[in-house]
Amino acid sequence: MLFRKRRERLTASAQAAAVTGFEALDGRLPASEAGQGLLRKAFPDHWSFLLGELALYSFVVLILTGTYLTFFFDPGMTPSIYQGSYEPLRGQAMTQAYASTLDISFEVRGGLLIRQIHHWAALVFVAAIGLHMLRIFFTGAFRKPREVNWTIGVTLFLLALLEGFAGYSLPDDLLSGTGMRTAHTIVMSIPVLGTYLSFFIWGGPYPGEDILPRLYVVHILLVPGLLVALIAVHLILVVYLKHTQWNARGRTNRNVVGHPMFPQFTAKSAGLFFMVFGLLTGLSAVAQINPVWLYGPYRTDQVATGAQPDWYVGFLEGAMRIMPPWQTTAAGHTVMWNVFLPAVVLPGVLFVVLFAYPFFERWVTGDRREHHLCDRPRNRPTRTALGVAAIVFYAVLLLAGGNDVIAYSFLVSVNALTWIFRIAVFVGPVVAFVVTKRLCLALQDHERRLLLEGVETGEVSQSLYGGISESHRPVEAGRRYRILVRDVPRPLPPPPQAATRLQRLRSGLSSWYYGDRVEMPMTPEERRKVEEALAEPSGGEARSEAGQ
């Protein structure tokens, strides 16, 4: 009884303190208005929307572990003799960066575990952003009014790649030093400006004396600051614009259905964070990654055998390995096409395409309406096929980045493997495009037959005359709604005779994008309901419906 009364008094005191604190805060800031609106926010319930949260929580883990590592890491490049606890390297000359990495791994309490959590979290962070962007691309969630958020997402992906490369290079071991040598070659391949840029970035002739301290500042201050700012803007826009949703009964282009922030989304999201942290910790405890002590300190006259970069920049390595050795010398300048094209032009074109794609598709379709329902990838066969072709293109380059390891493991010729990858990088995406588009159209045709004939029950009956037939049952209402409610633009009409080349190009692209389609049978009443479901929100704002 005594403990119960004491607990009640403590609970009452805590509640009174919370009320007093909130009233003080609300008197100075719009806390109640903001909190009320946020608590009413409807959050999605489909698993595919968790990819963005996975990237966010991986970033939180990166911040926490990176802060701990910052206390012990020294990015200096002045050589010194190692006298630490790792016996095989004792007495060797190395930079403070490498020596401090060894100290973190062997002498700082929990340092190796934190290092590995940090590295695994970086890989998951970039992978989650990539998968999140693929989900947005294949479902059309980049369309109006979310073009700006798509642009922010692509920028976040680009910054994540830069952040990963900077962190990968800091230990100054033989593996990361080999990657730094490759980066220096890429910078030097830029015509005219390459030499000046390399001297500026590296602080003199390679390997320089300033590159690691500068990368350290970029890694712990500049890029993280930009990431935090852009993630904040990204989340604000997500709350303001509301999330897209898969079409289902009760979900239209004018409402947003989901779970309220408290308690459903809060509990689920907090659970996901602890799962991510726990899984990364468990993985780091049992799966070794980046054992820098096995590579030794970086020396400019040595190259690590079987050196491979992290997967997210492996496609650049592969592009350089399969590029023919083309060079041009003019006016005293040598242009290394074998480095400049795959390592500078290719990623530049890639990110320009990513930034521009929402505006390109809007120009092709002429569609200016708001879209809050996700596209099923099969209903946009050309877009889906382009995305799969890009994935195959990336996968071929990634495999080409390890052609020496593959050749050694499977006892094949490196030259033969290089030619296979050179052919596959052009043929593979084309084959993937054709096959994916045909599969999407075949899936649409299958759904059309379901609507016309119904779903097979598996029951076979025989008539009085000996005929055998299989019975069908009508498609259930929810599945029928999901099939019929689709927003597929029709091709633009043919241009007039006096049309410009740009107009003819736009008409041709529109026909190529949306000319192949499978029309779904529906009654006039169903057509009216579909049009109502796809109607644009009045006033440009979708209504939120939480708690469903």
Side-chain angles (χ1 to χ4, degrees):
M1 180 65 70
L2 178 62
F3 290 106
R4 182 183 301 175
K5 291 182 178 179
R6 179 177 298 179
R7 186 168 58 250
E8 291 176 352
R9 287 198 301 270
L10 291 175
T11 302
S13 300
Q15 291 176 348
V19 171
T20 303
F22 180 79
E23 290 177 349
L25 180 65
D26 189 49
R28 295 161 177 82
L29 297 173
S32 59
E33 292 84 349
Q36 188 178 16
L38 191 60
L39 290 176
R40 289 202 309 265
K41 170 74 171 67
F43 287 87
D45 53 2
H46 195 268
W47 66 265
S48 62
F49 292 89
L50 296 179
L51 294 171
E53 293 184 45
L54 183 61
L56 175 63
Y57 296 144
S58 300
F59 181 69
V60 173
V61 175
L62 282 171
I63 294 295
L64 295 176
T65 55
T67 302
Y68 182 84
L69 295 174
T70 302
F71 294 135
F72 307 100
F73 181 74
D74 182 0
M77 297 185 67
T78 303
S80 61
I81 303 300
Y82 178 69
Q83 300 295 338
S85 60
Y86 187 64
E87 183 66 29
L89 292 178
R90 189 174 295 172
Q92 292 195 28
M94 60 184 65
T95 61
Q96 295 101 316
Y98 187 62
S100 63
T101 304
L102 294 178
D103 291 340
I104 291 172
S105 302
F106 296 111
E107 299 181 20
V108 175
R109 186 179 297 274
L112 180 58
L113 178 64
I114 299 298
R115 264 196 64 233
Q116 299 214 144
I117 295 175
H118 193 72
H119 201 126
W120 279 116
L123 298 181
V124 173
F125 177 58
V126 180
I129 293 179
L131 291 174
H132 183 56
M133 290 181 61
L134 286 176
R135 197 275 302 174
I136 292 174
F137 176 81
F138 285 119
T139 62
F142 54 80
R143 296 171 296 175
K144 182 182 178 181
R146 297 175 178 85
E147 300 97 333
V148 174
N149 232 7
W150 168 265
T151 303
I152 293 175
V154 175
T155 306
L156 285 171
F157 185 62
L158 179 60
L159 290 174
L161 297 182
L162 176 60
E163 180 76 344
F165 172 75
Y168 174 86
S169 304
L170 286 178
D172 200 31
D173 59 296
L174 188 57
L175 181 61
S176 65
T178 303
M180 187 65 70
R181 182 200 300 271
T182 303
H184 180 263
T185 304
I186 293 173
V187 174
M188 288 286 289
S189 71
I190 301 175
V192 182
L193 299 177
T195 305
Y196 302 99
L197 286 175
S198 68
F199 266 66
F200 171 75
I201 295 173
W202 272 264
Y206 184 82
E209 297 180 355
D210 299 330
I211 182 62
L212 289 185
R214 289 175 177 177
L215 279 180
Y216 187 62
V217 173
V218 169
H219 184 68
I220 71 168
L221 182 62
L222 180 60
V223 176
L226 292 174
L227 285 173
V228 169
L230 288 178
I231 288 174
V233 175
H234 183 75
L235 294 178
I236 290 172
L237 287 178
V238 168
V239 173
Y240 175 72
L241 298 173
K242 303 177 179 59
H243 65 269
T244 55
Q245 58 188 351
W246 293 101
N247 62 344
R249 299 184 69 182
R251 302 184 180 188
T252 69
N253 205 37
R254 301 186 306 279
N255 66 359
V256 179
V257 180
H259 294 305
M261 180 176 181
F262 186 83
Q264 286 92 337
F265 177 77
T266 303
K268 182 170 65 175
S269 187
L272 178 62
F273 169 71
F274 289 114
M275 287 177 61
V276 170
F277 209 153
L279 288 174
L280 286 174
T281 304
L283 182 64
S284 303
V286 300
Q288 180 175 271
I289 188 171
N290 197 24
V292 296
W293 54 89
L294 297 181
Y295 308 132
Y298 176 62
R299 290 178 52 179
T300 55
D301 59 339
Q302 295 181 357
V303 177
T305 303
Q308 305 293 320
D310 281 336
W311 67 267
Y312 46 84
V313 291
F315 75 101
L316 293 179
E317 178 79 13
M320 287 190 290
R321 292 192 182 193
I322 66 176
M323 182 70 185
W326 295 344
Q327 294 184 3
T328 301
T329 302
H333 296 279
T334 300
V335 180
M336 300 184 296
W337 301 109
N338 56 328
V339 178
F340 179 68
L341 289 179
V344 179
V345 175
L346 175 64
V349 171
L350 169 65
F351 278 97
V352 167
V353 170
L354 288 176
F355 279 115
Y357 186 83
F359 309 98
F360 168 76
E361 184 171 303
R362 186 178 65 181
W363 175 72
V364 170
T365 61
D367 187 5
R368 298 294 187 270
R369 298 178 299 118
E370 286 191 12
H371 298 274
H372 300 283
L373 289 177
C374 292
D375 287 329
R376 300 174 72 201
R378 68 185 64 183
N379 292 332
R380 296 291 187 118
T382 301
R383 180 208 290 161
T384 303
L386 285 174
V388 174
I391 294 174
V392 171
F393 179 76
Y394 169 83
V396 171
L397 292 181
L398 183 62
L399 290 174
N403 61 349
D404 55 339
V405 177
I406 296 174
Y408 178 80
S409 301
F410 294 96
L411 302 179
V412 297
S413 169
V414 175
N415 293 331
L417 200 60
T418 300
W419 275 104
I420 291 174
F421 285 129
R422 284 176 177 173
I423 296 172
V425 78
F426 293 103
V427 176
V430 175
V431 173
F433 177 87
V434 174
V435 172
T436 303
K437 188 169 184 177
R438 299 315 304 174
L439 282 175
C440 290
L441 293 173
L443 289 172
Q444 290 186 49
D445 187 66
H446 172 69
E447 291 181 338
R448 174 182 171 82
R449 290 201 306 271
L450 287 179
L451 296 178
L452 291 174
E453 303 172 3
V455 180
E456 297 176 355
T457 62
E459 298 177 357
V460 179
S461 59
Q462 185 176 17
S463 67
L464 295 176
Y465 301 98
I468 297 178
S469 60
E470 184 179 16
S471 62
H472 295 75
R473 55 179 171 81
V475 178
E476 61 181 7
R479 187 176 183 183
R480 189 177 185 89
Y481 183 93
R482 186 169 64 251
I483 294 174
L484 292 178
V485 177
R486 57 179 196 162
D487 187 8
V488 183
R490 294 191 173 277
L492 297 176
Q497 292 293 333
T500 63
R501 291 183 179 180
L502 187 61
Q503 291 173 332
R504 293 180 184 276
L505 175 63
R506 182 185 182 189
S507 178
L509 287 173
S510 178
S511 177
W512 179 65
Y513 256 77
Y514 306 110
D516 296 326
R517 56 195 297 132
V518 177
E519 299 294 345
M520 297 297 171
M522 64 181 77
T523 63
E525 178 64 19
E526 288 176 331
R527 188 177 301 278
R528 183 184 63 80
K529 291 182 179 180
V530 169
E531 292 176 353
E532 290 179 354
L534 298 176
E536 188 175 14
S538 59
E541 185 176 355
R543 178 168 48 89
S544 178
E545 296 181 6
Q548 307 245 345

